[in-house]
């Protein structure tokens, strides 16, 4: 995904979808592959980010004096930040293709996706930007030379949207982190694109501290990918999410409505995190296909070991044993 070829393949590959009514049943192998990929549920965070990205791309289209306004997607681990980022990037790529046609798109790169390496220096981060577009980086090149090549090539390729993931790895309090933050600021001023960052709970990290943090906070709007609440006023966002995932299952004997009825249990089990929920349902579906039951029950779900974060959170309620004092 962190190269143009990989991202383009992701953006142009049809998304997984349940079979439409009336089509012949899919084979076991096809359904195992489907539940391995599974659907991407359109969450409120995806809608909010897509709307804001579209607005900021228009807002910054003719801005050339200062860095364009940017966005930061924040939230706890497993809350769907990367999925949100990639789905908006995919939408932008496909919209560009529809507007200009596949012939005009040749040689154009509307979207870039870069991961911040652990303990990134300005040079290693610049190298990641170069690697995305296959820009040659010789051993003896300085950070300034790599940055210059990146800015020139990204501009020539018409990059409109730059997605930077794992931004919580940057710590401007360290020398490397400060230099990397300065590099990002430099890139936002030299590349005519909208920058969107994503990271774990960035407001609690050093990213917003000091002079550099103040500059970022003054230019970036926050979009929170919080865990789904069980209730929000009159609505039940988590139950709606569970219902959408259940509707996408391709199991022959699963009883519709089973999973929404288990929403309180599922919320407790996953702490409302979409990543943990998706993993739990996907693994349960694959288990149901392998053992031939073709349905998901609470027993199926209880047998699955989830990610450590979810397992630490979940504490099954047990009835205390009654004691006979007679």
């Amino acid at each position: 995904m962190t190269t143009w070829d990989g991202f383009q393949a992701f953006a142009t590959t049809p998304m997984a979808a349940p079979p439409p009514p009336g089509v012949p049943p899919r084979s076991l192998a096809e359904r195992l592959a489907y539940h391995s990929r599974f659907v991407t549920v359109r969450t409120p965070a995806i809608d909010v980010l897509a709307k804001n990205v579209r607005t900021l791309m228009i807002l910054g289209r003719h801005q050339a004096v200062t860095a364009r306004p940017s966005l930061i997607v924040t939230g706890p681990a497993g809350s769907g930040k990367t999925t949100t980022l990639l789905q908006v990037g995919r939408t932008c790529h496909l919209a560009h293709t529809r507007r200009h046609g596949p012939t005009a798109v040749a040689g154009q790169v509307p979207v870039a996706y870069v991961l911040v390496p652990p303990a990134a220096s300005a040079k290693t981060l610049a190298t990641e930007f170069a690697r995305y577009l296959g820009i040659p980086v010789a051993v003896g090149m300085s950070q300034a030379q790599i940055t210059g090549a990146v800015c020139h090539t990204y501009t020539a390729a018409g990059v409109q949207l730059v997605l930077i993931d794992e931004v919580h790895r940057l710590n401007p309090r360290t020398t490397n982190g400060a230099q990397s933050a300065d590099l990002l600021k430099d890139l936002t001023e030299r590349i005519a694109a909208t920058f969107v960052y994503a990271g774990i709970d960035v407001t609690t990290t050093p990213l917003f501290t000091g002079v550099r943090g103040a500059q970022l906070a003054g230019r970036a709007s926050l979009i929170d990918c919080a865990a789904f609440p069980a209730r929000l006023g009159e609505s039940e966002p988590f139950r709606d999410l569970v219902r959408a995932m259940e509707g996408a299952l391709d199991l022959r004997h699963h009883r519709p409505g089973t999973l929404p009825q288990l929403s309180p249990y599922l919320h407790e089990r996953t702490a409302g995190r979409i990543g943990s929920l998706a993993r739990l349902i996907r693994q349960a579906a694959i288990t149901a296909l392998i053992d031939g039951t073709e349905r998901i029950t609470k027993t199926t779900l209880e047998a699955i070991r989830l990610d450590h974060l979810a397992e630490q959170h979940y504490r099954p309620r047990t009835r205390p044993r009654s004691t006979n004092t007679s």
Side-chain angles (χ1 to χ4, degrees):
M1 200 75 74
T2 54
T3 65
W4 166 234
D5 288 342
F7 186 87
Q8 186 179 34
F10 157 76
T12 55
T13 299
M15 297 177 67
V23 301
R26 296 193 281 197
S27 69
L28 175 61
E30 288 172 327
R31 291 186 296 138
L32 285 170
Y34 165 70
H35 287 101
S36 176
R37 292 178 61 200
F38 209 44
V39 297
T40 299
V41 177
R42 187 86 182 186
T43 64
I46 293 177
D47 290 334
V48 170
L49 182 60
K51 181 179 179 179
N52 278 271
V53 164
R54 186 165 58 248
T55 303
L56 290 191
M57 288 176 73
I58 296 170
L59 181 65
R61 189 169 293 163
H62 303 291
Q63 185 172 331
V65 179
T66 59
R68 291 156 184 80
S70 56
L71 294 163
I72 296 180
V73 181
T74 184
S79 58
K81 297 178 299 299
T82 295
T83 298
T84 299
L85 205 64
L86 291 173
Q87 289 306 314
V88 171
R90 175 193 180 98
T91 299
C92 179
H93 175 90
L94 295 177
H96 181 83
T97 304
R98 285 194 299 270
R99 280 196 307 269
H100 302 285
T103 304
V105 168
Q108 292 291 295
V109 180
V111 181
Y113 176 72
V114 177
L115 283 179
V116 175
S121 66
K123 186 172 182 179
T124 58
L125 183 53
T127 301
E128 286 300 302
F129 276 87
R131 189 170 71 86
Y132 182 81
L133 285 188
I135 302 168
V137 176
V139 175
M141 289 178 69
S142 67
Q143 181 241 311
Q145 289 173 318
I146 300 171
T147 302
V150 165
C151 293
H152 171 78
T153 308
Y154 275 54
T155 300
V159 175
Q160 301 171 11
L161 179 64
V162 178
L163 309 174
I164 304 175
D165 209 349
E166 307 289 349
V167 73
H168 58 270
R169 291 174 173 173
L170 292 180
N171 182 0
R173 293 175 183 171
T174 67
T175 301
N176 279 345
Q179 292 173 349
S180 298
D182 286 343
L183 170 67
L184 290 178
K185 179 177 179 293
D186 188 26
L187 294 177
T188 62
E189 292 173 348
R190 297 173 61 184
I191 299 173
T194 297
F195 280 65
V196 182
Y197 310 90
I200 297 173
D201 295 331
V202 295
T203 55
T204 64
T205 71
L207 196 63
F208 279 172
T209 60
V211 175
R212 293 175 178 86
Q215 285 182 324
L216 180 61
R219 290 172 173 166
S221 303
L222 279 179
I223 293 177
D224 196 353
C225 274
F228 278 69
R231 296 197 68 88
L232 186 62
E234 296 298 316
S235 64
E236 297 181 82
F238 187 78
R239 186 184 295 270
D240 293 340
L241 178 63
V242 171
R243 186 178 292 109
M245 288 190 178
E246 184 187 64
L249 292 172
D250 191 4
L251 299 173
R252 291 171 185 169
H253 304 308
H254 183 77
R255 189 179 66 189
T258 300
L259 296 187
Q261 288 176 359
L262 293 173
S263 286
Y265 159 75
L266 290 170
H267 194 272
E268 184 180 8
R269 184 81 191 274
T270 64
R273 287 188 290 266
I274 188 172
S276 298
L277 176 66
R279 175 174 170 177
L280 180 59
I281 291 178
R282 287 163 58 212
Q283 285 189 234
I286 290 172
T287 299
L289 287 168
I290 292 173
D291 66 20
T293 58
E294 297 262 356
R295 64 180 179 271
I296 298 176
T297 64
K298 187 174 181 180
T299 302
T300 314
L301 297 165
E302 284 283 4
I304 292 169
R305 295 290 295 176
L306 262 180
D307 56 275
H308 184 60
L309 191 63
E311 293 295 350
Q312 278 188 313
H313 168 83
Y314 178 57
R315 294 289 183 271
R317 295 191 183 94
T318 55
R319 291 182 180 177
R321 292 182 179 179
S322 61
T323 56
N324 190 347
T325 58
S326 59

